Amino acid sequence: MNMPLAAHSVIDTVSTWWRDRMQISAELDEIARLSYQDLEDVASDCGMTTLQLVDVIKAGPHGSDEMLALMKALNIDPDAVREFNPRNFRDMQVACARCSAKGDCRSHLSDGSISEHYRDYCENADVMNALRAQPMMLSE
């Protein structure tokens, strides 16, 4: 039985979504089994609060994909930022994963207008603007 290409795309999308949800669920179950002290220790090792850690886990493995897409749209090299300022990069990922404006961000990313709008809602806007002013952080 041959399925149309669009059906394969939908099936692939749903399968990916389901795998991500299952991974998040497993990670939250694992976190729930930790003592509060162990949870604090893990969060501290990651350089964040326990609330931030739980929020990042809930956001899932693609929780900060919008940040990477925004960087690329602004001609910022994510690898350079990660290499030269890993703490800043991590803080930006946490802010993105916890963001409540993902709908606006995704919409502007998809229609190509992100560079005109991100300053209106992005918690990382000031950092992005500072990175844009550093030639070594820009893509070639």
Side-chain angles (χ1 to χ4, degrees), residues 69-139:
L70 175 58
M71 287 179 143
K72 290 176 183 174
L74 298 176
N75 201 36
I76 298 169
D77 181 357
D79 293 330
V81 178
R82 184 183 292 120
E83 179 181 343
F84 292 107
N85 200 336
R87 176 173 283 165
N88 196 22
F89 189 84
R90 185 217 48 235
D91 290 347
M92 292 171 67
Q93 285 180 303
V94 170
C96 184
R98 299 180 79 205
C99 181
S100 61
K102 286 197 178 280
D104 291 334
C105 186
R106 288 178 186 144
S107 175
H108 293 136
L109 282 164
S110 69
D111 72 14
S113 66
I114 190 72
S115 62
E116 301 160 27
H117 296 286
Y118 75 97
R119 291 174 203 85
D120 298 334
Y121 51 80
C122 182
E123 291 183 36
N124 288 321
D126 291 340
V127 178
M128 294 286 187
N129 292 334
L131 291 169
R132 291 174 85 184
Q134 299 176 39
M136 66 184 282
M137 295 298 160
L138 300 179
S139 300

Short mmCIF file of all heavy atoms in Angstrom, two decimals, residues 69-139:
data_model
loop_
_atom_site.label_atom_id
_atom_site.label_comp_id
_atom_site.label_asym_id
_atom_site.label_seq_id
_atom_site.Cartn_x
_atom_site.Cartn_y
_atom_site.Cartn_z
N ALA A 69 17.57 29.18 15.77
CA ALA A 69 17.02 29.72 14.52
C ALA A 69 17.13 31.25 14.51
O ALA A 69 17.45 31.84 13.47
CB ALA A 69 15.57 29.28 14.35
N LEU A 70 16.88 31.88 15.65
CA LEU A 70 17.00 33.34 15.74
C LEU A 70 18.45 33.75 15.52
O LEU A 70 18.72 34.72 14.78
CB LEU A 70 16.49 33.85 17.08
CG LEU A 70 16.67 35.34 17.35
CD1 LEU A 70 16.00 36.20 16.28
CD2 LEU A 70 16.13 35.69 18.74
N MET A 71 19.38 33.04 16.13
CA MET A 71 20.79 33.37 15.93
C MET A 71 21.16 33.32 14.45
O MET A 71 21.80 34.24 13.93
CB MET A 71 21.68 32.40 16.72
CG MET A 71 21.68 32.63 18.20
SD MET A 71 22.75 31.42 19.02
CE MET A 71 23.43 32.44 20.29
N LYS A 72 20.73 32.27 13.79
CA LYS A 72 21.03 32.14 12.36
C LYS A 72 20.39 33.26 11.56
O LYS A 72 21.00 33.81 10.66
CB LYS A 72 20.60 30.77 11.85
CG LYS A 72 21.47 29.66 12.42
CD LYS A 72 21.01 28.29 12.00
CE LYS A 72 21.88 27.23 12.67
NZ LYS A 72 21.40 25.88 12.42
N ALA A 73 19.15 33.63 11.91
CA ALA A 73 18.47 34.72 11.20
C ALA A 73 19.18 36.05 11.41
O ALA A 73 19.14 36.92 10.53
CB ALA A 73 17.02 34.82 11.68
N LEU A 74 19.84 36.20 12.55
CA LEU A 74 20.56 37.43 12.86
C LEU A 74 22.04 37.36 12.47
O LEU A 74 22.81 38.26 12.80
CB LEU A 74 20.43 37.75 14.36
CG LEU A 74 19.02 38.01 14.87
CD1 LEU A 74 19.04 38.22 16.38
CD2 LEU A 74 18.38 39.19 14.15
N ASN A 75 22.41 36.29 11.79
CA ASN A 75 23.78 36.09 11.32
C ASN A 75 24.77 35.90 12.47
O ASN A 75 25.94 36.26 12.37
CB ASN A 75 24.21 37.24 10.41
CG ASN A 75 25.37 36.85 9.52
OD1 ASN A 75 25.45 35.72 9.07
ND2 ASN A 75 26.29 37.79 9.29
N ILE A 76 24.30 35.34 13.57
CA ILE A 76 25.14 35.02 14.72
C ILE A 76 25.51 33.55 14.63
O ILE A 76 24.65 32.71 14.36
CB ILE A 76 24.41 35.31 16.05
CG1 ILE A 76 24.06 36.79 16.16
CG2 ILE A 76 25.25 34.86 17.25
CD1 ILE A 76 23.11 37.12 17.30
N ASP A 77 26.77 33.23 14.85
CA ASP A 77 27.24 31.86 14.78
C ASP A 77 27.06 31.18 16.15
O ASP A 77 27.80 31.47 17.08
CB ASP A 77 28.71 31.85 14.37
CG ASP A 77 29.30 30.45 14.25
OD1 ASP A 77 28.59 29.46 14.52
OD2 ASP A 77 30.48 30.36 13.85
N PRO A 78 26.06 30.28 16.27
CA PRO A 78 25.84 29.62 17.57
C PRO A 78 27.06 28.86 18.08
O PRO A 78 27.32 28.85 19.29
CB PRO A 78 24.69 28.66 17.28
CG PRO A 78 24.04 29.15 16.05
CD PRO A 78 25.11 29.84 15.26
N ASP A 79 27.83 28.27 17.17
CA ASP A 79 29.01 27.52 17.59
C ASP A 79 30.06 28.44 18.22
O ASP A 79 30.72 28.08 19.19
CB ASP A 79 29.61 26.74 16.42
CG ASP A 79 28.69 25.63 15.95
OD1 ASP A 79 27.94 25.08 16.77
OD2 ASP A 79 28.72 25.32 14.74
N ALA A 80 30.20 29.64 17.66
CA ALA A 80 31.16 30.60 18.22
C ALA A 80 30.71 31.05 19.62
O ALA A 80 31.53 31.14 20.54
CB ALA A 80 31.31 31.81 17.30
N VAL A 81 29.43 31.30 19.77
CA VAL A 81 28.92 31.71 21.08
C VAL A 81 29.11 30.58 22.09
O VAL A 81 29.58 30.81 23.21
CB VAL A 81 27.43 32.12 20.99
CG1 VAL A 81 26.89 32.49 22.37
CG2 VAL A 81 27.24 33.27 20.01
N ARG A 82 28.78 29.37 21.69
CA ARG A 82 28.92 28.20 22.58
C ARG A 82 30.38 28.01 22.97
O ARG A 82 30.69 27.71 24.12
CB ARG A 82 28.40 26.94 21.88
CG ARG A 82 28.41 25.71 22.77
CD ARG A 82 27.97 24.45 22.03
NE ARG A 82 26.56 24.49 21.69
CZ ARG A 82 26.08 24.41 20.43
NH1 ARG A 82 26.89 24.29 19.41
NH2 ARG A 82 24.79 24.44 20.20
N GLU A 83 31.29 28.20 22.03
CA GLU A 83 32.71 27.98 22.29
C GLU A 83 33.31 29.08 23.17
O GLU A 83 34.04 28.80 24.10
CB GLU A 83 33.48 27.91 20.97
CG GLU A 83 34.97 27.71 21.15
CD GLU A 83 35.73 27.67 19.83
OE1 GLU A 83 35.10 27.48 18.77
OE2 GLU A 83 36.95 27.83 19.87
N PHE A 84 33.01 30.34 22.85
CA PHE A 84 33.67 31.44 23.54
C PHE A 84 32.96 31.91 24.80
O PHE A 84 33.55 32.57 25.64
CB PHE A 84 33.86 32.63 22.59
CG PHE A 84 34.85 32.35 21.50
CD1 PHE A 84 34.43 32.14 20.21
CD2 PHE A 84 36.20 32.23 21.78
CE1 PHE A 84 35.34 31.86 19.19
CE2 PHE A 84 37.13 31.94 20.80
CZ PHE A 84 36.69 31.75 19.49
N ASN A 85 31.69 31.56 24.94
CA ASN A 85 30.98 31.96 26.15
C ASN A 85 29.91 30.92 26.48
O ASN A 85 28.71 31.18 26.36
CB ASN A 85 30.34 33.34 25.96
CG ASN A 85 30.03 33.99 27.28
OD1 ASN A 85 29.85 33.31 28.29
ND2 ASN A 85 29.94 35.30 27.29
N PRO A 86 30.35 29.73 26.92
CA PRO A 86 29.40 28.64 27.16
C PRO A 86 28.36 28.97 28.24
O PRO A 86 27.21 28.55 28.14
CB PRO A 86 30.28 27.46 27.57
CG PRO A 86 31.60 28.04 27.91
CD PRO A 86 31.74 29.33 27.17
N ARG A 87 28.73 29.71 29.26
CA ARG A 87 27.77 30.06 30.32
C ARG A 87 26.68 30.97 29.75
O ARG A 87 25.49 30.76 30.02
CB ARG A 87 28.47 30.75 31.48
CG ARG A 87 27.47 31.20 32.55
CD ARG A 87 28.15 31.73 33.77
NE ARG A 87 28.63 30.55 34.50
CZ ARG A 87 29.50 30.58 35.46
NH1 ARG A 87 30.05 31.72 35.81
NH2 ARG A 87 29.86 29.49 36.08
N ASN A 88 27.06 31.93 28.95
CA ASN A 88 26.10 32.83 28.32
C ASN A 88 25.17 32.04 27.40
O ASN A 88 23.95 32.24 27.38
CB ASN A 88 26.84 33.92 27.55
CG ASN A 88 25.97 35.10 27.20
OD1 ASN A 88 24.96 35.34 27.82
ND2 ASN A 88 26.39 35.83 26.19
N PHE A 89 25.74 31.12 26.64
CA PHE A 89 24.97 30.28 25.72
C PHE A 89 23.95 29.46 26.51
O PHE A 89 22.77 29.39 26.14
CB PHE A 89 25.91 29.37 24.93
CG PHE A 89 25.24 28.62 23.82
CD1 PHE A 89 25.03 29.22 22.59
CD2 PHE A 89 24.82 27.31 23.99
CE1 PHE A 89 24.42 28.53 21.55
CE2 PHE A 89 24.20 26.61 22.97
CZ PHE A 89 24.00 27.23 21.74
N ARG A 90 24.37 28.86 27.62
CA ARG A 90 23.47 28.06 28.45
C ARG A 90 22.36 28.91 29.03
O ARG A 90 21.19 28.53 29.03
CB ARG A 90 24.25 27.37 29.57
CG ARG A 90 23.37 26.43 30.38
CD ARG A 90 23.65 26.36 31.86
NE ARG A 90 23.76 27.66 32.48
CZ ARG A 90 24.81 28.05 33.20
NH1 ARG A 90 25.85 27.27 33.38
NH2 ARG A 90 24.84 29.23 33.75
N ASP A 91 22.70 30.11 29.51
CA ASP A 91 21.69 31.00 30.07
C ASP A 91 20.65 31.39 29.01
O ASP A 91 19.45 31.48 29.30
CB ASP A 91 22.33 32.26 30.65
CG ASP A 91 23.13 31.99 31.91
OD1 ASP A 91 23.01 30.88 32.49
OD2 ASP A 91 23.91 32.89 32.32
N MET A 92 21.12 31.57 27.79
CA MET A 92 20.20 31.90 26.70
C MET A 92 19.30 30.71 26.39
O MET A 92 18.10 30.88 26.12
CB MET A 92 20.99 32.32 25.46
CG MET A 92 21.71 33.64 25.62
SD MET A 92 22.83 34.00 24.24
CE MET A 92 21.67 34.20 22.90
N GLN A 93 19.84 29.51 26.42
CA GLN A 93 19.03 28.31 26.19
C GLN A 93 17.95 28.17 27.25
O GLN A 93 16.80 27.84 26.94
CB GLN A 93 19.91 27.06 26.19
CG GLN A 93 20.74 26.88 24.96
CD GLN A 93 21.57 25.62 25.04
OE1 GLN A 93 22.35 25.44 25.97
NE2 GLN A 93 21.40 24.74 24.07
N VAL A 94 18.32 28.41 28.51
CA VAL A 94 17.35 28.32 29.60
C VAL A 94 16.23 29.35 29.40
O VAL A 94 15.05 29.02 29.50
CB VAL A 94 18.03 28.50 30.98
CG1 VAL A 94 17.01 28.66 32.09
CG2 VAL A 94 18.98 27.34 31.27
N ALA A 95 16.61 30.58 29.08
CA ALA A 95 15.60 31.63 28.85
C ALA A 95 14.67 31.24 27.70
O ALA A 95 13.45 31.40 27.79
CB ALA A 95 16.28 32.97 28.58
N CYS A 96 15.23 30.71 26.65
CA CYS A 96 14.43 30.30 25.49
C CYS A 96 13.51 29.14 25.85
O CYS A 96 12.32 29.15 25.51
CB CYS A 96 15.32 29.95 24.31
SG CYS A 96 14.41 29.55 22.80
N ALA A 97 14.03 28.15 26.54
CA ALA A 97 13.23 26.99 26.90
C ALA A 97 12.06 27.38 27.80
O ALA A 97 10.99 26.77 27.74
CB ALA A 97 14.10 25.94 27.59
N ARG A 98 12.24 28.40 28.61
CA ARG A 98 11.20 28.83 29.55
C ARG A 98 10.29 29.92 28.99
O ARG A 98 9.35 30.36 29.65
CB ARG A 98 11.86 29.35 30.83
CG ARG A 98 12.71 28.30 31.53
CD ARG A 98 13.36 28.84 32.77
NE ARG A 98 12.36 28.86 33.84
CZ ARG A 98 12.41 29.68 34.87
NH1 ARG A 98 13.39 30.54 35.00
NH2 ARG A 98 11.47 29.64 35.79
N CYS A 99 10.51 30.32 27.75
CA CYS A 99 9.80 31.45 27.15
C CYS A 99 8.31 31.18 26.95
O CYS A 99 7.92 30.09 26.54
CB CYS A 99 10.45 31.77 25.81
SG CYS A 99 9.70 33.19 24.98
N SER A 100 7.52 32.20 27.17
CA SER A 100 6.07 32.08 26.97
C SER A 100 5.63 32.69 25.64
O SER A 100 4.45 32.67 25.32
CB SER A 100 5.33 32.76 28.12
OG SER A 100 5.65 34.14 28.16
N ALA A 101 6.58 33.20 24.85
CA ALA A 101 6.25 33.83 23.57
C ALA A 101 6.66 32.97 22.38
O ALA A 101 6.90 33.48 21.29
CB ALA A 101 6.91 35.21 23.49
N LYS A 102 6.74 31.67 22.58
CA LYS A 102 7.19 30.79 21.51
C LYS A 102 6.30 30.87 20.27
O LYS A 102 6.78 30.75 19.15
CB LYS A 102 7.31 29.35 22.00
CG LYS A 102 8.51 29.17 22.90
CD LYS A 102 8.84 27.70 23.03
CE LYS A 102 10.07 27.52 23.89
NZ LYS A 102 11.30 27.74 23.17
N GLY A 103 5.01 31.05 20.45
CA GLY A 103 4.10 31.15 19.30
C GLY A 103 4.45 32.32 18.41
O GLY A 103 4.53 32.18 17.19
N ASP A 104 4.68 33.49 19.03
CA ASP A 104 5.07 34.66 18.26
C ASP A 104 6.41 34.43 17.57
O ASP A 104 6.59 34.74 16.39
CB ASP A 104 5.20 35.90 19.16
CG ASP A 104 3.86 36.38 19.68
OD1 ASP A 104 2.83 36.13 19.02
OD2 ASP A 104 3.84 37.02 20.76
N CYS A 105 7.34 33.87 18.32
CA CYS A 105 8.68 33.62 17.79
C CYS A 105 8.61 32.68 16.58
O CYS A 105 9.18 32.97 15.52
CB CYS A 105 9.57 33.05 18.89
SG CYS A 105 11.30 32.84 18.41
N ARG A 106 7.92 31.57 16.73
CA ARG A 106 7.82 30.60 15.64
C ARG A 106 7.14 31.20 14.42
O ARG A 106 7.54 30.95 13.28
CB ARG A 106 7.06 29.36 16.11
CG ARG A 106 7.86 28.51 17.07
CD ARG A 106 7.05 27.32 17.55
NE ARG A 106 7.78 26.60 18.57
CZ ARG A 106 7.22 26.02 19.61
NH1 ARG A 106 5.91 26.06 19.76
NH2 ARG A 106 7.96 25.39 20.49
N SER A 107 6.12 31.99 14.67
CA SER A 107 5.40 32.64 13.56
C SER A 107 6.33 33.58 12.80
O SER A 107 6.38 33.57 11.57
CB SER A 107 4.20 33.41 14.11
OG SER A 107 3.56 34.13 13.10
N HIS A 108 7.08 34.38 13.53
CA HIS A 108 7.99 35.33 12.89
C HIS A 108 9.18 34.63 12.24
O HIS A 108 9.68 35.09 11.20
CB HIS A 108 8.45 36.39 13.90
CG HIS A 108 7.35 37.29 14.33
ND1 HIS A 108 7.16 37.65 15.65
CD2 HIS A 108 6.33 37.88 13.64
CE1 HIS A 108 6.10 38.43 15.74
NE2 HIS A 108 5.58 38.58 14.54
N LEU A 109 9.62 33.52 12.82
CA LEU A 109 10.67 32.74 12.17
C LEU A 109 10.17 32.17 10.86
O LEU A 109 10.87 32.22 9.84
CB LEU A 109 11.15 31.60 13.08
CG LEU A 109 12.09 31.99 14.22
CD1 LEU A 109 12.18 30.87 15.24
CD2 LEU A 109 13.48 32.35 13.68
N SER A 110 8.95 31.66 10.86
CA SER A 110 8.44 31.01 9.64
C SER A 110 8.13 32.00 8.53
O SER A 110 8.29 31.68 7.36
CB SER A 110 7.22 30.14 9.94
OG SER A 110 6.12 30.93 10.29
N ASP A 111 7.71 33.22 8.90
CA ASP A 111 7.39 34.18 7.83
C ASP A 111 8.57 35.10 7.49
O ASP A 111 8.46 35.99 6.65
CB ASP A 111 6.12 34.98 8.14
CG ASP A 111 6.28 36.01 9.25
OD1 ASP A 111 7.42 36.34 9.65
OD2 ASP A 111 5.24 36.49 9.74
N GLY A 112 9.71 34.86 8.14
CA GLY A 112 10.92 35.62 7.81
C GLY A 112 10.99 37.01 8.41
O GLY A 112 11.88 37.79 8.05
N SER A 113 10.10 37.32 9.35
CA SER A 113 10.10 38.68 9.92
C SER A 113 10.70 38.74 11.32
O SER A 113 10.55 39.74 12.01
CB SER A 113 8.66 39.22 9.95
OG SER A 113 7.86 38.49 10.85
N ILE A 114 11.39 37.68 11.72
CA ILE A 114 11.91 37.61 13.10
C ILE A 114 12.84 38.77 13.44
O ILE A 114 12.79 39.32 14.54
CB ILE A 114 12.59 36.24 13.37
CG1 ILE A 114 12.90 36.08 14.88
CG2 ILE A 114 13.84 36.06 12.55
CD1 ILE A 114 11.70 35.85 15.73
N SER A 115 13.69 39.18 12.50
CA SER A 115 14.65 40.25 12.80
C SER A 115 13.95 41.59 13.08
O SER A 115 14.52 42.46 13.72
CB SER A 115 15.67 40.40 11.68
OG SER A 115 15.05 40.77 10.48
N GLU A 116 12.72 41.72 12.62
CA GLU A 116 11.96 42.95 12.86
C GLU A 116 11.19 42.91 14.18
O GLU A 116 10.80 43.95 14.70
CB GLU A 116 10.96 43.16 11.72
CG GLU A 116 11.61 43.28 10.35
CD GLU A 116 10.62 43.00 9.23
OE1 GLU A 116 9.40 43.23 9.43
OE2 GLU A 116 11.06 42.55 8.16
N HIS A 117 10.95 41.71 14.73
CA HIS A 117 10.03 41.59 15.86
C HIS A 117 10.63 41.04 17.15
O HIS A 117 10.03 41.22 18.21
CB HIS A 117 8.85 40.69 15.47
CG HIS A 117 8.02 41.26 14.38
ND1 HIS A 117 7.16 42.31 14.57
CD2 HIS A 117 7.94 40.93 13.06
CE1 HIS A 117 6.56 42.60 13.43
NE2 HIS A 117 7.01 41.77 12.50
N TYR A 118 11.76 40.34 17.11
CA TYR A 118 12.24 39.64 18.30
C TYR A 118 12.46 40.55 19.49
O TYR A 118 12.28 40.14 20.64
CB TYR A 118 13.52 38.83 18.00
CG TYR A 118 14.77 39.65 17.87
CD1 TYR A 118 15.64 39.80 18.94
CD2 TYR A 118 15.08 40.30 16.67
CE1 TYR A 118 16.80 40.56 18.82
CE2 TYR A 118 16.23 41.05 16.55
CZ TYR A 118 17.08 41.19 17.61
OH TYR A 118 18.22 41.94 17.49
N ARG A 119 12.81 41.80 19.25
CA ARG A 119 13.06 42.74 20.35
C ARG A 119 11.80 42.99 21.18
O ARG A 119 11.88 43.38 22.34
CB ARG A 119 13.58 44.07 19.81
CG ARG A 119 14.96 44.02 19.23
CD ARG A 119 15.32 45.38 18.57
NE ARG A 119 16.35 45.24 17.58
CZ ARG A 119 16.15 44.90 16.30
NH1 ARG A 119 14.95 44.64 15.87
NH2 ARG A 119 17.15 44.80 15.45
N ASP A 120 10.63 42.75 20.58
CA ASP A 120 9.36 43.01 21.26
C ASP A 120 9.06 42.00 22.36
O ASP A 120 8.28 42.30 23.26
CB ASP A 120 8.20 43.00 20.26
CG ASP A 120 8.33 44.08 19.20
OD1 ASP A 120 8.99 45.12 19.47
OD2 ASP A 120 7.77 43.90 18.11
N TYR A 121 9.63 40.80 22.29
CA TYR A 121 9.26 39.76 23.26
C TYR A 121 10.38 38.84 23.70
O TYR A 121 10.23 38.12 24.68
CB TYR A 121 8.12 38.90 22.69
CG TYR A 121 8.40 38.36 21.31
CD1 TYR A 121 9.21 37.25 21.13
CD2 TYR A 121 7.86 38.97 20.20
CE1 TYR A 121 9.49 36.76 19.87
CE2 TYR A 121 8.12 38.49 18.93
CZ TYR A 121 8.92 37.39 18.76
OH TYR A 121 9.19 36.92 17.52
N CYS A 122 11.49 38.82 23.02
CA CYS A 122 12.56 37.86 23.31
C CYS A 122 13.37 38.28 24.54
O CYS A 122 13.93 39.38 24.58
CB CYS A 122 13.48 37.71 22.11
SG CYS A 122 14.80 36.49 22.35
N GLU A 123 13.42 37.38 25.52
CA GLU A 123 14.22 37.65 26.72
C GLU A 123 15.71 37.72 26.40
O GLU A 123 16.49 38.26 27.18
CB GLU A 123 13.96 36.59 27.78
CG GLU A 123 12.58 36.66 28.37
CD GLU A 123 12.39 35.64 29.47
OE1 GLU A 123 13.35 35.37 30.22
OE2 GLU A 123 11.27 35.11 29.58
N ASN A 124 16.10 37.16 25.28
CA ASN A 124 17.50 37.17 24.87
C ASN A 124 17.84 38.32 23.92
O ASN A 124 18.95 38.38 23.40
CB ASN A 124 17.86 35.84 24.19
CG ASN A 124 17.94 34.70 25.17
OD1 ASN A 124 18.43 34.86 26.28
ND2 ASN A 124 17.46 33.54 24.76
N ALA A 125 16.91 39.24 23.71
CA ALA A 125 17.12 40.31 22.72
C ALA A 125 18.37 41.14 23.01
O ALA A 125 19.17 41.40 22.09
CB ALA A 125 15.89 41.21 22.65
N ASP A 126 18.57 41.54 24.25
CA ASP A 126 19.74 42.37 24.58
C ASP A 126 21.04 41.60 24.33
O ASP A 126 22.01 42.17 23.80
CB ASP A 126 19.69 42.84 26.04
CG ASP A 126 18.59 43.85 26.28
OD1 ASP A 126 18.11 44.48 25.31
OD2 ASP A 126 18.20 44.03 27.46
N VAL A 127 21.05 40.33 24.69
CA VAL A 127 22.25 39.52 24.47
C VAL A 127 22.48 39.33 22.96
O VAL A 127 23.61 39.43 22.48
CB VAL A 127 22.13 38.15 25.17
CG1 VAL A 127 23.35 37.30 24.91
CG2 VAL A 127 21.92 38.34 26.66
N MET A 128 21.41 39.07 22.23
CA MET A 128 21.53 38.90 20.77
C MET A 128 22.11 40.17 20.15
O MET A 128 22.99 40.10 19.29
CB MET A 128 20.18 38.59 20.12
CG MET A 128 19.60 37.26 20.52
SD MET A 128 20.46 35.89 19.73
CE MET A 128 19.40 34.54 20.22
N ASN A 129 21.62 41.32 20.57
CA ASN A 129 22.12 42.59 20.03
C ASN A 129 23.59 42.79 20.37
O ASN A 129 24.36 43.26 19.54
CB ASN A 129 21.27 43.75 20.53
CG ASN A 129 19.87 43.72 19.96
OD1 ASN A 129 19.64 43.18 18.89
ND2 ASN A 129 18.93 44.29 20.68
N ALA A 130 23.99 42.42 21.59
CA ALA A 130 25.40 42.53 21.98
C ALA A 130 26.26 41.58 21.14
O ALA A 130 27.37 41.95 20.73
CB ALA A 130 25.55 42.22 23.47
N LEU A 131 25.76 40.39 20.88
CA LEU A 131 26.51 39.43 20.06
C LEU A 131 26.67 39.94 18.63
O LEU A 131 27.72 39.75 18.02
CB LEU A 131 25.83 38.06 20.06
CG LEU A 131 25.85 37.31 21.39
CD1 LEU A 131 24.91 36.11 21.34
CD2 LEU A 131 27.27 36.87 21.73
N ARG A 132 25.65 40.58 18.12
CA ARG A 132 25.70 41.11 16.75
C ARG A 132 26.78 42.19 16.61
O ARG A 132 27.26 42.45 15.51
CB ARG A 132 24.35 41.69 16.35
CG ARG A 132 23.29 40.63 16.18
CD ARG A 132 21.95 41.23 15.92
NE ARG A 132 21.79 41.53 14.50
CZ ARG A 132 20.76 42.13 13.99
NH1 ARG A 132 19.78 42.54 14.76
NH2 ARG A 132 20.69 42.35 12.70
N ALA A 133 27.14 42.82 17.71
CA ALA A 133 28.14 43.88 17.69
C ALA A 133 29.56 43.33 17.77
O ALA A 133 30.52 44.09 17.70
CB ALA A 133 27.89 44.86 18.83
N GLN A 134 29.69 42.01 17.92
CA GLN A 134 31.00 41.38 18.04
C GLN A 134 31.30 40.59 16.76
O GLN A 134 30.75 39.53 16.55
CB GLN A 134 31.04 40.44 19.24
CG GLN A 134 30.78 41.13 20.56
CD GLN A 134 30.75 40.15 21.70
OE1 GLN A 134 31.53 39.20 21.76
NE2 GLN A 134 29.83 40.36 22.64
N PRO A 135 32.18 41.11 15.92
CA PRO A 135 32.47 40.44 14.64
C PRO A 135 32.84 38.96 14.77
O PRO A 135 32.47 38.16 13.92
CB PRO A 135 33.63 41.26 14.07
CG PRO A 135 33.48 42.60 14.69
CD PRO A 135 32.93 42.34 16.07
N MET A 136 33.54 38.59 15.85
CA MET A 136 33.95 37.19 15.99
C MET A 136 32.77 36.26 16.28
O MET A 136 32.89 35.04 16.18
CB MET A 136 35.01 37.04 17.08
CG MET A 136 34.52 37.35 18.48
SD MET A 136 35.83 37.29 19.71
CE MET A 136 36.00 35.57 19.95
N MET A 137 31.61 36.80 16.61
CA MET A 137 30.42 36.00 16.88
C MET A 137 29.52 35.85 15.66
O MET A 137 28.51 35.16 15.71
CB MET A 137 29.60 36.59 18.03
CG MET A 137 30.32 36.57 19.35
SD MET A 137 30.67 34.87 19.86
CE MET A 137 31.97 35.14 21.03
N LEU A 138 29.87 36.50 14.57
CA LEU A 138 29.02 36.47 13.39
C LEU A 138 29.41 35.34 12.45
O LEU A 138 30.56 34.93 12.39
CB LEU A 138 29.10 37.82 12.66
CG LEU A 138 28.68 39.03 13.48
CD1 LEU A 138 28.83 40.30 12.66
CD2 LEU A 138 27.25 38.89 13.99
N SER A 139 28.41 34.84 11.73
CA SER A 139 28.67 33.80 10.73
C SER A 139 29.41 34.42 9.55
O SER A 139 29.24 35.60 9.25
CB SER A 139 27.34 33.23 10.23
OG SER A 139 26.61 32.69 11.29
#
